[in-house]
Amino acid sequence: MFKLIVSLMMASIVSLGLMIVCTIISKSTILDREKMPPFECGFDPKSSARTPFSLQFFLIAILFLIFDIEIAIILPMIITLKISNITSWMFTMIIFIMILILGLYYEWKNGMLEWTF
């Protein structure tokens, strides 16, 4: 127990010492005007951050992510086909795919997939 406490104290002292040394020898100044403003991918940070955004684009992006994750779940299920019970595997796959198809039908029926402005 004593060795553990000594090791934690030594690690804390070394890390604190390194932080202090780095702060002392760093050449950057706190009030540097060129480094103070936020960098936003080349855009002017003084402009409005609330630009119009298409909700349809967001919904289609979410739909893409859902189907992308679906593929990541289905592919390992194909590999486990050899070592699992065929009836439980088939039941699981049918339920999983039916949930995805019902979700797609719901989005299609509500007009979420139509790209309108």
Side-chain angles (χ1 to χ4, degrees):
M1 186 69 172
F2 181 71
K3 289 182 181 181
L4 180 67
I5 293 173
V6 170
S7 327
L8 287 173
M9 287 178 54
M10 289 301 292
S12 299
I13 290 171
V14 168
S15 62
L16 186 63
L18 286 174
M19 285 191 285
I20 290 172
V21 168
C22 287
T23 304
I24 291 172
I25 65 172
S26 70
K27 294 182 180 181
S28 66
T29 61
I30 297 173
L31 299 175
D32 191 4
R33 289 188 65 196
E34 293 297 321
K35 294 181 181 178
M36 284 301 289
F39 180 71
E40 297 182 8
C41 302
F43 295 109
D44 185 18
K46 304 283 188 244
S47 65
S48 174
R50 302 286 180 197
T51 58
F53 183 75
S54 173
L55 187 60
Q56 290 297 119
F57 175 75
F58 176 73
L59 291 174
I60 289 179
I62 294 296
L63 184 68
F64 171 75
L65 286 175
I66 289 170
F67 281 101
D68 192 39
I69 291 173
E70 167 215 351
I71 295 298
I73 292 173
I74 285 180
L75 285 177
M77 288 180 79
I78 294 170
I79 295 171
T80 62
L81 175 62
K82 292 181 182 179
I83 60 173
S84 64
N85 185 5
I86 189 69
T87 57
S88 65
W89 183 88
M90 189 64 79
F91 182 71
T92 305
M93 282 294 282
I94 288 172
I95 294 294
F96 183 72
I97 291 176
M98 285 303 294
I99 289 172
L100 288 172
I101 290 173
L102 288 173
L104 180 62
Y105 176 73
Y106 175 77
E107 288 182 353
W108 188 10
K109 191 72 172 172
N110 286 333
M112 293 180 190
L113 298 178
E114 296 175 9
W115 193 271
T116 57
F117 292 101

